[in-house]
Amino acid sequence: MKFLHAFCAPVALSLVLGIANLRADAPDPGQIEISVGRLLEQGHYSRMKLDEKVSQRFLKNYLEALDYNHLYFTQSDIDLFTAKYGNSLHNDVLLGNPDPAFTIFDIYKKRIEDRIAKIKELLKQKYDFTSDHSVEINRQKAPWPKDDAAADELWRDRVEGELLQETLNKHAVDTPVKVLTRRYDQVLRNLGEQTKEDIIKGFLSTLALTYDPHSDYMSKSELDTFQINMRLSLVGIGAVLLSEDGYAKIGELVPGGPASKNGQLKVGDRIAGVAQGDKDFVDAVDMKLDKVVDMIRGKKDTIVRLQVIPATAADPSVRKVIEIKRDEIKLKEQEAKAEIIERPGADGNPIRLGWIVLPSFYADMEHSGAAGAKSTTKDVLALINRLKQEHIQGLVMDLRRNGGGSLEEAVNLTGLFIKRGPVVQAKDSNGNIHVSKDRDPSVAWDGPLIVCCNRLSASASEIFAAALQDYNRAVIVGDSSTFGKGTVQTMLEIGRIMPFLGSGNNEAGALKLTIQKFYRIAGGSTQHKGVESDVKLPSLFDHQEIGESALKNPLPYDTVPPVDFDKWDHPLFKNDLRARSAARVAADPEFRYITEDLNELKSRLADNHVSLNIKARQKEIDDDKARRDKREAARAKVKRPEDKTYVITLDNLSKPDLQLVTFEKPEKKPAEANPVDPKPAEPKSADGKLQDGKSKDAKTDSTKPSPDATTSIEPPAAEGDDLAEDDGETTNHIERIDPIKTETLNILNDLIDLSHNPKTATASTSK
């Protein structure tokens, strides 16, 4: 039996659409249904029975997962589903009857098809955009339309809103009507691509999410992608694929990958067929993107042939055959990387500060212990050793947007900064508590240390930050708190657990199951509360829509007794750091801009409506532009610190010469218009959250596109995060303003100064 323990935090979850026949070799969906239902009942931390009460919540969640914005179903549909399935859906799951999932989905599919037919009629009408009406943006909390007439009225406004949005788009590539027609044609195409396996996946994912927001059912392809993101490598051709007009389109080539080295495949080429070695081509037009991905991936040193329509072809009937040998692709953009920032110290003399960005707590659990196995701790240790060679005086660990990862790596990484001792506690459903400890007495870095976090820092990131805070080893800087996820998941491959489902392979997918809650060594929990920053900085992410408490069905906060541990015996001068930082933040216009933008965001979220009057909308656009221009003019007058930045990657850390980064001014790109409902019929998670999946004591952060894989939803970038993705050679990076980073470095400067000159600290300073 294969158990993959995991810490999971926010990444994107997509529920699927459509219906088609099951593959002949596909596992029986009814048996998968039974297995998932029983595992949730018997293995979930809550030990919650799958009964009528859960059935009602499950049905509600499934309907909202399909029609998350309450646009396609009517209240009549909801009443029908509730009467038919509200008190019996649990029995269908436990008896292996998938018919309710298919029946509900068939009606949903019909509602979308009927609605799009009506939308196309609305697109034929003329609109002058002079009304004083507005349209509701987010309808997740709104009631379902009472009937078809109410839905028609709702959609008239929405279509007008989308047409107005495209009319105001000064960089449109086509007329608004053509843009929307293509958009809704793509929705219909998405519906036609889906399979019964997809429907079962969405159905069982919603069931798992009804237990808590981090349990999930994963299909085989999702499990494969998850494992790729855990080990940061795959075997393929090194191309990022996008879906466009029924084709898999080359969106990006990975530098140094097989396709890039081959030189024949180009960005923009469209794949029409795929062949294995000298076998016949399989038509890939109108094929689901993940199926195309599966055909392109394969074993190392095998041949895949692609029949492509070149991006430069004037005639779409032109075909070109490209033969590529598969090889291992390293996902370097998710590796730890470092910077050395050389800047004036408190006494005016230059000092060097270290900055390590850690996107996730990755680990190759399939080859754990092997010489070449991927390890967060091993990579960070190598970076720290090089930073020490360059005589840094302080270090920042940047965990912004780090959604979590391997428990073992979180414990081991903490151990680089403390002597031996406990790091985290975990409690199972029986109340048994296990304490994970760092048993290595060595310390890789004993100097001034800051951990930079935000609301997107979750799970293993919170374990690391909480432990260093409890030990009084580091100052936590950033948002008011981190995400607030304090649960542990295990990955159960269904086929290995339930022998009757087949040969023990992963065709039946896997259940990511919450089995424990974790706690700080001081006894508190990060669940809901997260890790509170010692020095708080204004941030666009710091609002209640992000975090565990914003998700559906989170487990409650509780505590356990603390364990014994020895705190670090050096003061951290937190009161002084807060006072000094507050004075700088108050005088920094960038933080004023952040506060203004955050207030504007909160206002718009609260209003939740957009005007259908073109003059009012144009005024909003003009006002936004005027505000941006005013800020840019003010920025142009500000003299930026003349810091020198050197980038260190795992590829260049052994090179004797440091790589100096030169920054270029960013090009002004046209702002993309955001439609009223960006993807009207595409499914979304039941709670609109970010979430991720993990592997044995491990996590995959799939917020970045993977080579030979579909892209997933990416959380917004940190404010001006300017640690560019480095390929080991380029030195020209786009300059971005990152006030959080700048102020964190200032705080580190202060910490170094106070450590060297403790007499300058206030008498009441906090350790």
Side-chain angles (χ1 to χ4, degrees), residues 426-710:
K427 183 178 70 173
D428 64 23
S429 58
N430 294 319
N432 299 317
I433 297 176
H434 172 75
V435 180
S436 296
K437 300 179 179 180
D438 166 47
R439 303 182 185 279
D440 185 349
S442 63
V443 178
W445 175 254
D446 61 0
L449 178 65
I450 285 177
V451 179
C452 186
C453 299
N454 66 9
R455 283 273 191 170
L456 300 180
S457 307
S459 204
S461 290
E462 296 175 287
I463 290 173
F464 176 78
L468 294 182
Q469 189 177 59
D470 288 344
Y471 272 101
N472 201 49
R473 175 64 188 91
V475 178
I476 312 301
V477 174
D479 291 3
S480 58
S481 69
T482 55
F483 188 85
K485 178 186 174 295
T487 55
V488 185
Q489 284 69 43
T490 190
M491 192 73 76
L492 307 174
E493 292 188 19
I494 303 297
R496 296 178 182 272
I497 296 169
M498 303 297 177
F500 54 80
L501 284 178
S503 59
N505 59 27
N506 65 0
E507 290 292 330
L511 178 65
K512 178 157 65 76
L513 187 65
T514 297
I515 57 169
Q516 293 176 322
K517 295 173 73 174
F518 65 78
Y519 302 83
R520 302 173 67 139
I521 53 177
S525 171
T526 63
Q527 183 68 5
H528 290 284
K529 291 188 176 183
V531 179
E532 294 186 5
S533 292
D534 298 311
V535 182
K536 298 176 176 63
L537 300 177
S539 162
L540 288 175
F541 298 107
D542 204 356
H543 60 87
Q544 62 184 9
E545 296 298 318
I546 299 176
E548 185 80 3
S549 297
L551 305 183
K552 287 187 176 182
N553 311 311
L555 296 182
Y557 172 87
D558 63 343
T559 62
V560 297
V563 294
D564 293 331
F565 62 96
D566 296 324
K567 288 192 174 186
W568 197 258
D569 59 1
H570 299 296
L572 292 180
F573 311 100
K574 292 179 183 179
N575 286 340
D576 292 271
L577 296 178
R578 279 190 283 264
R580 293 186 183 189
S581 177
R584 284 189 299 266
V585 167
D588 189 338
E590 294 299 334
F591 283 109
R592 186 173 71 251
Y593 299 156
I594 289 175
T595 301
E596 290 172 357
D597 290 345
L598 185 58
N599 290 336
E600 177 68 17
L601 173 63
K602 290 178 179 178
S603 175
R604 291 186 179 185
L605 287 172
D607 181 46
N608 197 29
H609 283 77
V610 61
S611 173
L612 296 180
N613 185 289
I614 192 167
K615 290 183 178 180
R617 292 286 293 282
Q618 187 63 57
K619 184 179 184 302
E620 291 175 0
I621 293 172
D622 293 342
D623 290 346
D624 285 343
K625 183 179 184 301
R627 184 172 63 251
R628 290 195 304 271
D629 290 345
K630 184 178 179 180
R631 290 179 182 180
E632 289 305 313
R635 284 167 175 155
K637 297 177 182 179
V638 175
K639 185 178 180 181
R640 297 290 170 192
E642 296 182 0
D643 297 347
K644 290 183 179 179
T645 301
Y646 303 89
V647 66
I648 299 175
T649 69
L650 297 175
D651 289 334
N652 70 11
L653 63 82
S654 62
K655 294 180 180 179
D657 296 328
L658 289 173
Q659 178 181 312
L660 179 65
V661 178
T662 58
F663 292 100
E664 301 173 346
K665 292 292 183 183
E667 290 184 30
K668 287 192 175 182
K669 296 183 178 180
E672 295 183 2
N674 294 320
V676 174
D677 188 14
K679 296 182 180 179
E682 290 183 3
K684 209 170 171 121
S685 73
D687 44 28
K689 66 180 175 47
L690 297 168
Q691 92 162 14
D692 69 6
K694 308 297 176 284
S695 181
K696 183 179 180 182
D697 286 327
K699 170 265 182 188
T700 177
D701 182 356
S702 57
T703 59
K704 296 278 187 179
S706 297
D708 306 336
T710 60

Side-chain angles (χ1 to χ4, degrees), residues 26-85:
D28 180 0
Q31 293 300 321
I32 296 176
E33 208 175 15
I34 294 171
S35 302
V36 170
R38 290 301 183 193
L39 286 169
L40 284 167
E41 274 195 322
Q42 299 169 13
H44 190 269
Y45 178 85
S46 66
R47 291 296 193 268
M48 185 167 58
K49 288 294 182 183
L50 183 49
D51 55 17
E52 285 189 15
K53 185 177 179 181
V54 174
S55 180
Q56 292 165 3
R57 286 168 45 204
F58 174 26
L59 176 62
K60 180 176 182 291
N61 289 344
Y62 184 54
L63 297 175
E64 291 184 343
L66 291 173
D67 188 6
Y68 70 95
N69 229 3
H70 295 190
L71 290 171
Y72 296 101
F73 288 134
T74 64
Q75 186 61 51
S76 299
D77 293 324
I78 303 304
D79 292 342
L80 175 65
F81 294 141
T82 302
K84 189 171 183 180
Y85 302 117

Side-chain angles (χ1 to χ4, degrees), residues 271-276 279-285 287 295 307:
I271 298 173
V274 181
Q276 310 300 325
K279 294 182 180 179
D280 293 338
F281 277 98
V282 175
D283 184 26
V285 180
M287 181 179 288
M295 291 195 296
Q307 188 182 81

Side-chain angles (χ1 to χ4, degrees), residues 13 15 57-66 200-212 215-217 553 686:
L13 169 68
L15 288 178
R57 286 168 45 204
F58 174 26
L59 176 62
K60 180 176 182 291
N61 289 344
Y62 184 54
L63 297 175
E64 291 184 343
L66 291 173
I200 288 298
K201 187 272 181 258
F203 187 69
L204 294 180
S205 290
T206 306
L207 173 60
L209 289 167
T210 301
Y211 275 72
D212 83 287
S215 293
D216 190 17
Y217 171 72
N553 311 311

